[in-house]
Amino acid sequence: NGRSAQKEPLRNAFVRLLLLIGTFWACLHCQIHPPIDRDSVATTFVWRCSPPLDLRVMHNSLPKAAAVGSTSRPKGRRPVALPLSASSEYFESTASLSTELRLQHIALLNDSDFEDVADNLGTMPTIDGRSKEAIEHICNEELKFPGGCELRIVGLQSNFTAVHLSSDVDIGVHTPDHLVTLDERDNFQKHLARFDFKVVKVVGATITVASLDNIERDIVFLNQDFDASSKNDYYPLLGRQLNAFFESNEPAQKAVRMLKFAFHKSQRLPAYVLEYLVLILRNARLGCSERTLYQASIAQIVVNSKFFKQALKDATLANGGEASYEDYLIKRVADMQDVLRRALY
């Protein structure tokens, strides 16, 4: 009995050691980690990098789409995955689905197909020749800005998160030796008609125009002295932070593209808020691949996690902390959560 009593602590220690080795082996091969807290995730476990998050989406129980654009969900049949293709027909067919059905379709994609779709959604960050010719002519020949102007891609295209289905082209006009005045902005606007650009709206330092190809472009004066609100926007600090992060992070780029694709033509959050959410989740190691970052973003939005709240808070502060903007974001969040719960939960 004495020897048994002496061996008991050794036996318990040995068992604990085996459990630790087993846990380490599981973490090494499956990369399963317990959640940070009950508010941070919507699932039992967080999968980092691979396999993907279990979003409680029971793929085998998802219904077949009744019709394109329909939101009805007949029982008992799994939806047929649409054929993957780099052709425009694929994106047109999926883009015409209701948001709920498109979310279900994306949930059925495996890792390889998910990455393929995200790749083909992207657009190359370029300034078209017609816009370049018009802007440079007006700045240099008509308004004669001292030092001329330099054109830069700003916004989503500079972060490689734009999708060809909906993202407009944001062109920054940098005048290194001159601050553009309000009168000069208005004069610039008048000259655009000569180049077949229709002015859609003018807000502060941004002129939104539509060309003959029906693509909207934002022309943004980066050096100006009349629009204080633009200087409180997400450009100075948040914009640089997003650009530095996404420039070298392809999985994050693709995750944002798929989020925009999922909520195409629906009441979603502004794209830069989605970008910032993906940045926060990647830094918190709640996702590494494009698919896990996408799925983690969906989960955080649904449960209104602390990470998601932080993204909304910083977005509001970046826009001057205005209560009206915060209310706008809250309304968009409610719309997205409602759609996600109907589609996936």
Side-chain angles (χ1 to χ4, degrees), residues 51 81 111 129 132 241 250 256 340:
D111 289 347
K132 184 175 186 297
Q241 185 180 4
E250 289 189 16
V256 173
L340 285 169

Side-chain angles (χ1 to χ4, degrees), residues 132-322:
K132 184 175 186 297
E133 176 190 359
I135 295 171
E136 289 182 342
H137 176 84
I138 296 172
C139 290
N140 299 330
E141 304 300 328
E142 302 295 340
L143 302 182
K144 302 185 184 302
F145 290 153
C149 68
E150 301 170 5
L151 304 190
R152 301 175 179 178
I153 295 172
V154 296
L156 300 178
Q157 293 237 355
S158 65
N159 294 341
F160 302 94
T161 59
V163 297
H164 61 76
L165 291 169
S166 60
S167 296
D168 60 3
V169 179
D170 298 337
I171 304 173
V173 181
H174 176 56
T175 50
D177 300 328
H178 180 67
L179 287 178
V180 177
T181 66
L182 183 61
D183 287 340
E184 288 171 332
R185 183 207 68 179
D186 294 340
N187 288 332
F188 183 97
Q189 176 185 339
K190 294 174 183 176
H191 287 291
L192 287 170
R194 294 175 49 198
F195 295 88
D196 297 321
F197 286 108
K198 176 184 177 182
V199 176
V200 177
K201 63 180 178 179
V202 179
V203 180
T206 301
I207 301 174
T208 302
V209 299
S211 56
L212 295 176
D213 55 8
N214 291 322
I215 295 178
E216 288 192 358
R217 294 166 172 83
D218 286 346
I219 302 174
V220 186
F221 293 105
L222 303 180
N223 310 85
Q224 45 80 26
D225 66 355
F226 59 87
D227 183 21
S229 65
S230 67
K231 299 170 185 177
N232 293 327
D233 205 347
Y234 62 95
Y235 262 11
L237 181 60
L238 187 57
R240 286 194 294 270
Q241 185 180 4
L242 291 173
N243 186 258
F245 172 74
F246 281 98
E247 186 177 23
S248 59
N249 197 316
E250 289 189 16
Q253 296 169 14
K254 295 173 184 177
V256 173
R257 288 181 206 156
M258 291 299 280
L259 286 169
K260 293 182 65 182
F261 178 49
F263 289 94
H264 178 55
K265 291 185 178 179
S266 65
Q267 298 296 311
R268 63 165 173 79
L269 288 166
Y272 81 93
V273 181
L274 298 177
E275 286 184 344
Y276 193 51
L277 174 61
V278 169
L279 181 153
I280 291 174
L281 297 181
R282 181 61 185 88
N283 289 342
R285 295 187 58 80
L286 292 183
C288 300
S289 71
E290 44 275 302
R291 191 166 183 233
T292 55
L293 282 169
Y294 167 86
Q295 293 176 320
S297 300
I298 295 293
Q300 304 300 305
I301 292 171
V302 170
V303 300
N304 205 27
S305 73
K306 65 179 183 181
F307 299 107
F308 184 49
K309 291 177 181 177
Q310 184 64 45
L312 295 178
K313 177 182 177 182
D314 289 347
T316 302
L317 291 174
N319 281 271
E322 296 180 6

